[in-house]
């Protein structure tokens, strides 16, 4: 209970401070997009670190050396908890925006922060709008902003992963950027396993070796989602002994 109370106080502080931060950025960094980008990324990362500390989440990190430092990538991860986003974001080396469901765009303040760190909102019920989002993601990658997607489309209710949607990796297919598998274990222990309370827990995140699409055989290219999911499932199973 105490963790939940502290979280709500912290969230209230951030909510109160946000309009003033937006005003400051508009007045002083309107014509300095790179400065604003760096500030937003550092601020969001700081907030996420504080939330993880409040929630009592300790994470073992593996494979950071697999993330390229000289090119944008498409991060592809399994999705079990809201904490998947918080945990992964604090370890990403380059500016990265998440591909979020369209409903997130309805939340005031949050949607603005998400836009500032180059997140995109995907309408899975409208193919035409979905294509626009994918094209925007490709453009972001070409301009140096990595993208992060959860190809299951929603949070899995158990450790059994949902099938990856094949079209979800189009950003990598069309841009030619590397795919970095991101595997997380035990993230639901922080919140989802005992809603509405936070619980102290240990999680594992591993960044897999880059997948270079041009180096795959024709069959794996055709079913890129299934190929990537198999890699993620194997590492997820291996890392279960660490939590």
């Amino acid at each position: 209970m105490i963790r939940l109370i502290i979280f709500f106080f912290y969230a209230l502080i951030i909510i109160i401070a946000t309009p003033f931060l937006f005003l400051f950025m508009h007045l002083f960094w309107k014509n300095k997009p790179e400065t604003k980008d760096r500030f937003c990324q550092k601020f969001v990362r700081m907030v996420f670190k504080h939330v993880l500390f409040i929630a009592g989440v300790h994470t073992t990190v593996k494979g950071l050396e697999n993330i390229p430092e000289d090119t944008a990538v498409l991060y592809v991860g399994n999705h079990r908890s809201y904490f998947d986003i918080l945990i992964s974001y604090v370890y990403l080396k380059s500016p990265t925006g998440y591909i979020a469901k369209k409903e997130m765009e309805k939340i005031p303040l949050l949607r603005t922060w998400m836009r500032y760190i180059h997140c995109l909102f995907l309408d899975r019920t409208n193919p035409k709008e979905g294509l626009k989002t994918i094209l925007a993601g490709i453009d972001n990658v070409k301009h140096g902003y990595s993208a992060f997607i959860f190809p299951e489309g929603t949070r899995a209710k158990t450790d059994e992963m949902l099938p990856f949607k094949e079209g979800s990796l189009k950003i990598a297919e069309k841009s030619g950027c590397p795919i970095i598998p991101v595997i997380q274990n035990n993230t639901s222990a922080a919140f989802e396993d005992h809603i509405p309370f936070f619980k102290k827990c240990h999680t594992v995140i591993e960044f897999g070796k880059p997948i270079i699409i041009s180096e795959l055989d024709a069959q794996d290219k055709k079913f890129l989602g299934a190929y990537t999911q198999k890699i993620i499932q194997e590492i997820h199973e291996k890392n279960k002994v660490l939590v």
Side-chain angles (χ1 to χ4, degrees), residues 66-211:
N66 291 323
I67 303 177
E69 297 187 8
D70 58 350
T71 185
V73 304
L74 176 66
Y75 295 99
V76 176
N78 61 306
H79 198 19
R80 184 72 175 82
S81 169
Y82 293 116
F83 277 80
D84 295 333
I85 298 171
L86 278 68
I87 294 169
S88 58
Y89 192 79
V90 300
Y91 296 108
L92 302 182
K93 295 181 178 181
S94 61
T96 303
Y98 288 73
I99 309 298
K101 58 185 179 181
K102 186 69 173 178
E103 290 77 6
M104 298 292 289
E105 199 172 18
K106 298 177 182 178
I107 304 175
L109 299 184
L110 176 62
R111 65 185 173 215
T112 307
W113 277 119
M114 292 178 72
R115 287 171 181 157
Y116 279 169
I117 62 170
H118 300 276
C119 292
L120 298 171
F121 302 94
L122 180 62
D123 186 349
R124 299 186 186 277
T125 65
N126 187 326
K128 186 176 180 180
E129 291 301 314
L131 177 60
K132 290 181 181 179
T133 301
I134 297 302
L135 292 175
I138 294 169
D139 187 63
N140 279 352
V141 167
K142 290 181 177 179
H143 284 85
Y145 295 97
S146 295
F148 198 125
I149 194 166
F150 299 105
E152 292 166 277
T154 187
R155 287 179 295 113
K157 303 303 180 184
T158 68
D159 278 342
E160 189 70 25
M161 292 181 206
L162 302 173
F164 281 18
K165 301 180 185 301
E166 288 294 335
S168 60
L169 305 188
K170 288 292 184 184
I171 291 175
E173 291 181 275
K174 298 300 184 182
S175 69
C177 74
I179 294 172
I180 302 295
V182 183
I183 305 90
Q184 298 197 63
N185 288 72
N186 204 41
T187 51
S188 62
F191 182 63
E192 281 78 6
D193 291 350
H194 32 71
I195 293 173
F197 301 108
F198 295 123
K199 294 290 185 180
K200 185 177 181 180
C201 70
H202 174 234
T203 74
V204 178
I205 183 170
E206 180 166 349
F207 297 91
K209 293 181 179 180
I211 298 172

Side-chain angles (χ1 to χ4, degrees), residues 22-108:
F22 288 166
L23 178 61
F24 177 86
M25 287 187 284
H26 178 74
L27 291 176
F28 296 100
W29 295 335
K30 184 177 181 180
N31 298 316
K32 298 180 180 180
E34 292 183 1
T35 302
K36 185 174 73 173
D37 279 357
R38 287 194 299 270
F39 171 80
C40 291
Q41 291 151 19
K42 289 180 179 179
F43 181 81
V44 172
R45 187 173 287 113
M46 178 197 71
V47 171
F48 284 0
K49 285 181 178 179
H50 289 170
V51 172
L52 292 172
F53 177 78
I54 292 169
V57 176
H58 171 71
T59 300
T60 295
V61 187
K62 303 173 65 179
L64 284 175
E65 70 279 2
N66 291 323
I67 303 177
E69 297 187 8
D70 58 350
T71 185
V73 304
L74 176 66
Y75 295 99
V76 176
N78 61 306
H79 198 19
R80 184 72 175 82
S81 169
Y82 293 116
F83 277 80
D84 295 333
I85 298 171
L86 278 68
I87 294 169
S88 58
Y89 192 79
V90 300
Y91 296 108
L92 302 182
K93 295 181 178 181
S94 61
T96 303
Y98 288 73
I99 309 298
K101 58 185 179 181
K102 186 69 173 178
E103 290 77 6
M104 298 292 289
E105 199 172 18
K106 298 177 182 178
I107 304 175

